[in-house]
Amino acid sequence: MKTINTSKISSVNSIMLFLASFGISYSLVSEFAFERPNRELLVIIICLLAGSFASKKREKAENNK
């Protein structure tokens, strides 16, 4: 049974994944197309993406118990 808290966490994770994907795309286009490297932003966004994936996996594992 899903609770309100679980559905909020799930929606936040989905939003974080979307924003992280958008941020990675922006950083890569900025670096390769416009030749304005912003590697700090890219590293931060990759860490955010990894955290989002880990949170989704943990949530899925908890739901399968």
Side-chain angles (χ1 to χ4, degrees):
M1 184 171 106
K2 278 192 165 185
T3 63
I4 294 173
N5 191 22
T6 304
S7 65
K8 283 183 183 179
I9 291 172
S10 179
S11 64
V12 167
N13 283 339
S14 298
I15 291 170
M16 278 179 40
L17 283 171
F18 173 75
L19 290 176
S21 300
F22 182 76
I24 287 174
S25 301
Y26 172 77
S27 295
L28 291 175
V29 167
S30 175
E31 184 162 337
F32 293 115
F34 302 122
E35 297 179 3
R36 288 184 284 171
N38 195 355
R39 293 194 178 110
E40 295 85 15
L41 176 64
L42 185 61
V43 170
I44 291 169
I45 295 295
I46 287 173
C47 291
L48 179 66
L49 186 65
S52 298
F53 278 131
S55 181
K56 276 276 201 191
K57 290 267 188 191
R58 183 182 54 110
E59 179 184 333
K60 188 183 284 188
E62 286 177 354
N63 288 340
N64 289 336
K65 285 184 179 182

